[in-house]
Amino acid sequence: MQNYAWTLLALPMLGFVITGGLGRRLPRTLTGAIGSGVIGVAFLVALAIFLQVRGQTGQHTYNDLHYYNWLDAGSFHVGMNLLVDPLTCVMLLIVTGVGFLIHVYSIGYMAHDANFSRFFSYLNLFIFSMLLLVLADNYLILIIGWGMVGLSSYLLIGFWFDRPSAVAAARKAFVMNVIGDVGMMIAGYMMFVQFGTLGYDGVFSKAQSMKPDSALLNVICLMLLVGAVAKSAQIPLYTWLPDAMEGPTSVSALIHAATMVTAGVYLLARSHVLYLLAPFTLSLVAIIGAVGAIYAASIALVQTDIKRVLAYSTMSQIAYMFLGCGVGAFGAGMFHLMTHAFFKAVLFLGAGSVIHALLNEQDLRKMGGLRDKLPRTYLLMGIGCLAISGIPPLSGFFSKDEILGRVLAAGNWYIILWILGVITAGMTAFYMFRLFFLTFHGRYNGPPDVYELAHEAPNVMVVPVGILGVLSIVGGFVQTPWGWNAFDDFLAPVFSRYPLVHAAKAPLVGNVPALIFIVVVALAGIYVAYVMYGGAERRPYRAPEWLYNLLYNKYYVDEIYDAGIVQPVRATASALYSLVDRSGVDAAVNGVARLVAVVSRGVSPVETGYVRTYALSIFAGIVLVALVPVVFGTLLK
Amino acid sequence: MQTQSYLLVGAILFFIGALGVLIRRNPLVIFMSIEMMLNAVNLTLVAYAKHLSSMEGQIFVFFVMTVAAAEVVVGLAIIVSIFRTRENIDVDLLNSMKG
Amino acid sequence: MEALHPALGLQIALLSSPEAVIFAINTLIAIFSAMNVLLQPNPVHSALFLIANFFALAVYYLLLDAQFLAAVQILVYAGAIMVLFLFVITLLSPGREEVAQDRLRPLQWPAILLALILGGSVAATLLLNDIQGQPANLPQLGTVQVVGDQLFHNFLFPFELTSLLLLAAMLGAVVLAKRKVD
């Protein structure tokens, strides 16, 4: 494995270089083929690695591959090492697999774009960064991958950089991500000070010997949480995600649904040792998860842009993953990560097909009745909506219910979080099917000529979505409440590596009444949506004006952040500029220049131009010099 | 005569020459004053040669005279080329390097 | 007599031998002519007084047993260099005097003051201190044979170099003084 694992990084980097450097001069099909092909090959490599790890047992699954010694500074050593264990394998397959399908989709979606090759080079750069993050065996390389993923996100959100809204969104995303990066770095410094190393094995082994729930460990976990929250768009660093929909839909699907935003969950799962030893912060994770889920779902209820609805639903589903990790069910969180990657990609890519067909219309109020025009997309979107709503036997049911089951099993006050989660499930079903019915059922509400021209997307776009659709249906059967624990068993060595720490992995026999209750709630949500939006006439529930405005304007959080943080920072910067920079530094520098000018103008009369004055001054100097020995030597004798 | 007397005369001649350089405006007179300074130094050298019974002083003077001759040649050529076209012969007119 | 204070010794020596008398008269001529080089408004007059000064110096050299140098002084300085000076004076400004108002008139006083300071201090140094040793009495010190011997044995290299120097000076003068033909 040592011999070929590095190709996982080399392949996307190669794709980045070729499509970036030569892409303009190559025909589109070739560029698209290379860009997707490298990821396809990477997927095969990931598959091979996965099969190899599956064949390993116990702690043999922990493959720490050393490549070379990167940093050697006194007692601080960081190696360029790749860690391949079951957790890594799950992420590798998701990133390369879903990534490959989305690359292929993009060949069709971006076919008419002038910057086709640049798009693929950025996508490959992103895959490289994400794989670097996932394959790291120490926090330093992870942070590097983390930062590069943020960069790729910025480049891709602002891909159409002639649009001011896209540029602003990209900047917003990057700035919020940097806040997370700072948290990660602080955590890194603290880890180094406390443990003397940043490698996973070193940190986790040494952490076990600390006293439980120590303040230091809680702070480290909190700082890591800041990073996770920023990257995964959870409260309070989430406002960038809806704006990030400015980017092309493939980008939304890949980065802001399936992979990048799940990096936070991966971080939590990887650092499970630290979090299990810091229960205070862990319960904070659970609270952020539960509150975030219902919060995002409430906003999604009233949004009118198809991609915004999906963005808030992403935030909500990731909140579920945080909730799962927060009760110690890291495996459940990863399971939901996987199924979410499948069905969310289906939903985004399907939405992309709809937008593409309607010539870039994204407003739900102008859609409707597209069922006959886009039959295949209709089917696939339907599958996606059922999956996300948690309707059995689709994948979303198994993962979402495992999480909620474990929350319930945690007992005590966690039941409140369980209630929030169940309510969110109902809301999720409702707003997803609201989206579905508004798009495909009823009467078309847009310009008639657009409707005439609307047609199904080409195969290159539909087939990848189809594959993802199939996965959304069957992907759940790896982990079921009635005892098929393939997923948990696969991940077991990861979570039992450090003996003093026990992740909650007791098989969930399944609280059947609770399960049925959740499904009923979801079905109820769908029914309500059908009643309101399913028929030819739309009969939406008229909510009170203030409530509607509150939700539609996303609780005015963007405005609050702007007034409370952005404007003061801008004002401070402006004040510093005029006070320190202009009056201080510039004045000093200019003052020096002016001083030189003034002095030189003052001294300049010495150059009279008359030879005789020069001769006189020379002579005066000679007199002075000659007087010294005369006076000191002779006259003072 | 005592060597000191010669040295004294040499000193006086040197300073008269220096004064000439500083006070006169005619470049040729300035140049002549410079020659006078050189001669004063020659006198000092020869006085010491006799005092120390050494030929080196006189040989030095020999070379000084040679070099002075060459210097006069070149210096006068320069003065000629500068003042050839001018009305007045006055070093104060050469003040274009002012400021 | 040498045990006396030098200044006093000077005055007594002044009157004690024919050599001293010649020295005294010569000194008066030398200083008088030097002052006039400075003070004469007409440059031709200044040049003539300088020639007189050179003659006085030649006498000094004779008194100091530097016979060769005395001859060379007259030949080179008075005979060649001053002739050159006079040529140039007549070329540039026959008989013209410095006419314009001296803008730097105030500078004369500092110049005189400085010269007096320095001259005074050198003179004071000389008068207040003894020079060790006696001047030698070797009339054949500065003869042609001795000078020639030194030049062609110990100082051969500088001697040859000066010929190059003179060549360079000649070329330089021709180039500099040439009228620019355009």
Side-chain angles (χ1 to χ4, degrees), chain A residues 447-463:
Chain A
D449 45 335
V450 174
Y451 187 73
E452 283 308 308
L453 291 171
H455 59 278
E456 187 65 83
N459 278 346
V460 74
M461 284 165 67
V462 175
V463 169

Side-chain angles (χ1 to χ4, degrees), chain A residues 147-418:
Chain A
M148 286 185 70
V149 165
L151 171 70
S152 312
S153 170
Y154 166 81
L155 290 171
L156 285 163
I157 295 174
F159 184 71
W160 291 313
F161 52 75
D162 44 357
R163 278 192 215 173
S165 52
V167 171
R171 203 167 48 208
K172 183 171 175 181
F174 194 70
V175 169
M176 291 190 110
N177 260 273
V178 167
I179 298 176
D181 290 350
V182 171
M184 301 276 289
M185 283 192 266
I186 293 177
Y189 296 144
M190 293 177 71
M191 274 193 264
F192 178 65
V193 166
Q194 182 66 21
F195 303 119
T197 171
L198 288 179
Y200 292 152
D201 214 19
V203 169
F204 298 153
S205 322
K206 296 201 178 124
Q208 293 176 96
S209 53
M210 294 182 70
K211 67 171 170 44
D213 212 9
S214 70
L216 181 68
L217 203 53
N218 268 302
V219 174
I220 292 179
C221 290
L222 198 63
M223 289 295 114
L224 286 176
L225 185 62
V226 169
V229 159
K231 191 66 74 183
S232 296
Q234 295 301 301
I235 299 176
L237 296 170
Y238 69 91
T239 53
W240 62 271
L241 186 62
D243 287 12
M245 299 296 116
E246 290 283 338
T249 310
S250 320
V251 170
S252 309
L254 181 61
I255 299 186
H256 305 125
T259 41
M260 185 183 95
V261 291
T262 54
V265 182
Y266 169 75
L267 177 67
L268 290 178
R270 179 59 77 192
S271 313
H272 67 274
V273 176
L274 299 176
Y275 280 96
L276 286 168
L277 290 169
F280 173 73
T281 311
L282 193 59
S283 39
L284 189 63
V285 173
I287 294 173
I288 290 179
V291 171
I294 195 169
Y295 174 83
S298 66
I299 299 179
L301 290 175
V302 300
Q303 293 301 310
T304 53
D305 182 317
I306 191 172
K307 284 176 76 171
R308 294 270 143 107
V309 176
L310 293 175
Y312 283 105
S313 98
T314 301
M315 181 183 161
S316 180
Q317 294 305 308
I318 295 177
Y320 268 112
M321 298 176 214
F322 269 55
L323 177 60
C325 293
V327 297
F330 296 97
M334 290 303 297
F335 185 34
H336 196 55
L337 192 158
M338 185 174 82
T339 60
H340 175 262
F342 298 149
F343 55 69
K344 194 41 72 64
V346 167
L347 289 167
F348 263 112
L349 296 180
S353 298
V354 170
I355 295 171
H356 180 85
L358 294 180
L359 307 175
N360 295 329
E361 179 58 68
Q362 293 185 217
D363 193 331
L364 284 170
R365 296 169 293 195
K366 302 215 185 86
M367 298 187 191
L370 292 173
R371 176 170 163 187
D372 303 312
K373 282 278 175 174
L374 305 170
R376 291 191 280 180
T377 307
Y378 174 74
L379 176 66
L380 291 167
M381 288 287 281
I383 293 174
C385 289
L386 284 173
I388 198 175
S389 306
I391 307 297
L394 280 75
S395 54
F397 162 72
F398 293 105
S399 56
K400 192 184 291 194
D401 289 283
E402 177 169 1
I403 291 179
L404 288 173
R406 295 218 187 271
V407 172
L408 193 59
N412 299 329
W413 57 277
Y414 284 99
I415 192 155
I416 303 176
L417 302 184
W418 183 83

Side-chain angles (χ1 to χ4, degrees), chain A residues 610 612-613 616 619-620 622-623 626-627 630 634-635 637, chain C residues 102-104 107 110-111 114-115 117-118 121 125 128-129:
Chain A
Y610 293 121
R612 292 205 283 148
T613 55
L616 184 62
F619 191 62
I622 294 173
V623 169
L627 270 182
V630 168
T634 315
L635 297 180
K637 242 211 278 199
Chain C
D102 188 358
R103 245 174 272 137
L104 297 178
L107 282 182
L114 281 173
I117 290 175
L118 199 49
S121 50
T125 314
L128 293 174
N129 291 311

Side-chain angles (χ1 to χ4, degrees), chain C:
Chain C
M1 217 177 261
E2 288 72 30
L4 290 174
H5 193 277
L8 191 58
L10 193 75
Q11 291 186 12
I12 295 176
L14 217 62
L15 305 163
S16 57
S17 66
E19 189 199 345
V21 174
I22 296 175
F23 179 83
I25 298 173
N26 203 39
T27 305
L28 285 168
I29 296 174
I31 292 184
F32 176 72
S33 54
M35 296 293 309
N36 274 306
V37 169
L38 206 64
L39 297 171
Q40 291 291 328
N42 191 329
V44 178
H45 296 169
S46 296
L48 292 173
F49 274 110
L50 190 59
I51 294 175
N53 194 43
F54 289 158
F55 272 96
L57 277 171
V59 173
Y60 275 132
Y61 291 155
L62 284 173
L63 284 173
L64 287 168
D65 298 328
Q67 298 90 339
F68 177 69
L69 282 179
V72 172
Q73 168 88 356
I74 304 221
L75 278 170
V76 172
Y77 263 110
I81 291 177
M82 290 317 297
V83 171
L84 209 55
F85 262 105
L86 284 165
F87 273 143
V88 175
I89 291 172
T90 46
L91 176 70
L92 290 181
S93 61
R96 212 181 307 169
E97 301 173 15
E98 292 169 15
V99 282
Q101 182 63 275
D102 188 358
R103 245 174 272 137
L104 297 178
R105 183 91 198 212
L107 282 182
Q108 281 184 2
W109 298 108
I112 296 172
L113 188 67
L114 281 173
L116 279 176
I117 290 175
L118 199 49
S121 50
V122 172
T125 314
L126 283 172
L127 289 173
L128 293 174
N129 291 311
D130 269 335
I131 295 186
Q132 307 299 323
Q134 288 293 323
N137 195 4
L138 292 163
Q140 64 273 27
L141 185 67
T143 56
V144 182
Q145 287 99 302
V146 177
V147 172
D149 181 60
Q150 288 295 313
L151 275 182
F152 286 99
H153 283 123
N154 298 347
F155 298 95
L156 181 60
F157 186 59
F159 181 67
E160 297 300 332
L161 271 184
T162 47
S163 58
L164 275 175
L165 178 73
L166 289 170
L167 178 66
M170 266 196 291
L171 288 171
V174 170
V175 166
L176 282 167
K178 217 163 114 148
R179 241 179 248 277
K180 310 288 184 258
V181 185
D182 42 359

